[in-house]
Amino acid sequence: MAVAGLLSMSACGGSSRTAVTTTTTAATTTLATTTTTTAATTTTTAPQFGRSQDVILDNVQNAKSRGKVTVFAFKLPVATTGPQPKDDGGPSEYVWAAVDAPVCAGPEQLDPPAFSNDDFFILQYADNTQAEPASITHGNVPMPQFPGSDLFLHANECVRGWITYQTPNTRPSMVAWKYNDQLYKWPVP
């Protein structure tokens, strides 16, 4: 099921900070002004799961192509039987969580093709902590799994799967797709 379009998009153009220094010498006052500008990450938030967001994908030579990323579902906990995160050295209170998401390349053919992997998807919590995809999973987690290594996408190709996380038994506030200076977020219902 493909749902096209962006519902909300905002770009941060950077932040600016001005410092004023006052120097007094006898009867003369001099004001020196310094302005510092920092670049900001472009952040876009869709209002609900199932909405695609337009993104820029690139290849190993940094050629750019339009693509789409969608988050369809978040589940917590998953895989309540079988090996658990604590069996792989994780904290005893951690559980498996999973995100169902596809990434689709745009119509432009890049040479070599654009790529994606599960490392681009993170969970973000209300306290600003983040969880990255688990590096170890077992057969008891949702399938099919999203590729854990770079998968090259040709024009109009998609890859979809479940991304598994070792997390506290707490719902995150957002699922985010983070790549280079792009950050796209889907609030978790």
Side-chain angles (χ1 to χ4, degrees):
M1 175 175 150
V3 180
L6 288 172
L7 290 184
S8 173
M9 183 170 188
S10 64
C12 301
S15 62
S16 186
R17 181 177 57 223
T18 302
V20 176
T21 306
T22 304
T23 307
T24 305
T25 310
T28 306
T29 300
T30 305
L31 294 178
T33 303
T34 305
T35 302
T36 305
T37 303
T38 56
T41 298
T42 300
T43 304
T44 306
T45 302
Q48 64 188 28
F49 281 8
R51 297 286 180 176
S52 294
Q53 296 201 54
D54 291 324
V55 300
I56 301 293
L57 300 173
D58 65 14
N59 63 17
V60 293
Q61 297 171 344
N62 294 319
K64 307 291 185 206
S65 174
R66 304 292 301 167
K68 290 196 179 291
V69 175
T70 309
V71 172
F72 284 115
F74 172 79
K75 292 185 179 181
L76 174 82
V78 297
T80 56
T81 61
Q84 296 300 303
K86 67 180 179 182
D87 300 328
D88 293 324
S92 61
E93 68 276 8
Y94 274 33
V95 298
W96 295 114
V99 169
D100 175 21
V103 173
C104 297
E108 302 91 13
Q109 179 60 53
L110 299 181
D111 185 25
F115 64 91
S116 186
N117 67 51
D118 68 355
D119 288 338
F120 299 163
F121 290 92
I122 57 173
L123 301 180
Q124 185 172 327
Y125 293 86
D127 65 358
N128 291 321
T129 58
Q130 297 179 343
E132 295 180 352
S135 58
I136 299 173
T137 58
H138 302 278
N140 61 331
V141 297
M143 297 287 178
Q145 289 186 324
F146 198 96
S149 58
D150 288 349
L151 177 70
F152 290 94
L153 298 172
H154 296 277
N156 297 313
E157 282 185 337
C158 295
V159 59
R160 181 178 179 179
W162 288 92
I163 302 133
T164 307
Y165 303 83
Q166 295 181 7
T167 68
N169 198 4
T170 305
R171 292 183 78 73
S173 56
M174 302 274 181
V175 174
W177 187 80
K178 185 176 183 178
Y179 181 68
N180 289 339
D181 61 350
Q182 301 175 91
L183 181 63
Y184 296 86
K185 297 180 178 182
W186 290 261
V188 174

